[in-house]
Amino acid sequence: MKTTIEELVAFRTVVDTGSITAASEQLAQTVSGISRALSRLEQKLDTTLLRRTTRRLELTEEGAAFLQRTRAILDAIDDAEEQMAARRQQPAGRLRVNAASPFMLHAIVPLVPEFRQLCPQIDLELDTDDLPIDLLERRTDIAIRIGPLRDSTLHARPLGTHRLRVLASPAYLEAHGKPRKVEDLAGHALLGFTQPESLNRWPLRGVHGDEWTIAPAVMASSGETLRQLALAGVGIVCLSDFMTIADRASGALVQVLAKETADVRQPVNAVYYRNTQLSARITSFLDFLSQRMT
């Protein structure tokens, strides 16, 4: 049987206060409880730590040696608790964040300077993947996922939604003409995703319903690749607003078929494992993103 923290605390307090009665008062425990803790400790160690006389308690040689180790252990625990309390006040440590490359580039990276000013003791590690990852295997604290969540083992915090729009560059439209109705897209070069297939169902209303499944002329796994292709005038694309705010503001990309486009929004969630209370560094980043993205 291993010793417990309670037994070590009882032993140290008895020595420091000079008696079991004084130790029981300081620890708000019964005299019998302190006495039993000392007896259990001596039994586990198979040695006598204190000689009990009618007037006082005296440390044995073994007790003096064990007291030195006991103080070191309890001091280390106190120090660890103080460090955790300090982290709650000033979050610190390494924070691993994973997101699809477009979201990382367009939504998270611009916010990093401000976050670093607010939490300078948090060391960020930013990783990108265009497909979902295993958080435990990759030792990731937070992953940003866009679209419906499928992994029920994860906890999620909603960060907002972003609308999908069909877009093209002015150069492409000038060269190939602007589609006037959804069916006109059949005569255009469409840019689509290799996976998931759901991203190739565009939110366009018509006789076909509220979705139009495209036949891509060019496919890519990354939304950022498709954005660059659209900017280069290769074809028409359907992307989430977070990627194209600046492009639409500058006129580098313009919306097509606006009246036929349904108001479909992709949910954005921060997902994480939560076996215990979230650390301060994770909570601070989640709070920061939530405030900036809603």
Side-chain angles (χ1 to χ4, degrees):
M1 295 177 64
K2 296 183 178 180
T3 58
T4 65
I5 300 299
E6 179 186 3
E7 292 163 353
L8 296 180
V9 170
F11 174 53
R12 182 185 66 178
T13 307
V14 167
V15 174
D16 290 346
T17 60
S19 72
I20 293 177
T21 300
S24 68
E25 293 175 354
Q26 182 169 319
L27 297 175
Q29 297 181 23
T30 63
V31 171
S32 59
I34 297 296
S35 182
R36 285 195 298 271
L38 286 178
S39 296
R40 288 196 305 271
L41 184 59
E42 290 182 327
Q43 289 175 3
K44 291 175 181 179
L45 298 174
D46 193 23
T47 190
T48 300
L49 301 175
L50 292 165
R51 293 192 186 93
R52 298 165 178 79
T53 67
T54 55
R55 292 187 176 183
R56 60 180 181 173
L57 297 172
E58 292 182 350
L59 282 168
T60 63
E61 182 177 347
E62 292 78 9
F66 189 71
L67 177 63
Q68 184 177 1
R69 293 296 183 90
T70 295
R71 292 193 190 281
I73 292 169
L74 296 179
D75 287 346
I77 292 173
D78 290 341
D79 182 60
E81 290 178 344
E82 288 177 4
Q83 287 187 18
M84 291 302 100
R87 283 185 173 221
R88 288 192 294 271
Q89 297 173 359
Q90 181 61 56
R94 183 167 297 279
L95 180 66
R96 298 174 176 86
V97 181
N98 181 278
S101 54
F103 195 86
M104 185 70 76
L105 288 171
H106 295 283
I108 294 181
V109 169
L111 297 175
V112 169
E114 182 184 1
F115 181 74
R116 290 284 297 152
Q117 286 186 335
L118 294 173
C119 301
Q121 296 185 41
I122 292 181
D123 300 321
L124 284 174
E125 183 176 307
L126 305 178
D127 297 316
T128 57
D129 289 275
D130 291 318
L131 296 175
I133 63 162
D134 186 315
L135 271 65
L136 288 179
E137 182 180 339
R138 295 283 291 274
R139 298 178 63 213
T140 297
D141 297 305
I142 302 170
I144 308 300
R145 295 198 173 162
I146 302 168
L149 295 176
R150 298 181 180 85
D151 193 339
S152 61
T153 65
L154 298 175
H155 294 262
R157 179 164 173 176
L159 297 178
T161 60
H162 288 276
R163 188 177 179 183
L164 291 167
R165 300 177 196 266
V166 180
L167 306 161
S169 70
Y172 175 86
L173 296 176
E174 183 177 351
H176 302 279
K178 188 173 184 178
R180 302 297 176 184
K181 55 185 183 295
V182 176
E183 290 74 15
D184 291 345
L185 291 176
H188 285 269
L190 306 182
L191 310 178
F193 287 84
T194 53
Q195 59 178 307
E197 183 58 32
S198 61
L199 293 178
N200 292 329
R201 295 194 293 269
W202 291 5
L204 295 172
R205 294 185 293 261
V207 294
H208 53 274
D210 292 334
E211 288 184 337
W212 176 269
T213 300
I214 68 165
V218 180
M219 303 177 75
S221 62
S222 169
E224 179 60 22
T225 301
L226 297 179
R227 171 180 169 268
Q228 293 293 337
L229 289 170
L231 288 169
V234 175
I236 299 175
V237 72
C238 181
L239 294 173
S240 190
D241 274 356
F242 72 82
M243 295 180 59
T244 62
I245 293 174
D247 299 328
R248 287 181 286 113
S250 68
L253 291 177
V254 296
Q255 186 173 2
V256 298
L257 299 171
K259 292 182 179 180
E260 291 79 8
T261 301
D263 188 0
V264 173
R265 297 174 183 269
Q266 288 184 312
V268 179
N269 290 281
V271 297
Y272 51 90
Y273 282 103
R274 184 172 184 171
N275 298 325
T276 58
Q277 184 175 358
L278 286 180
S279 67
R281 70 183 188 282
I282 294 176
T283 301
S284 62
F285 191 73
L286 290 176
D287 290 344
F288 174 79
L289 286 184
S290 182
Q291 292 168 5
R292 298 304 182 278
M293 293 186 181
T294 54

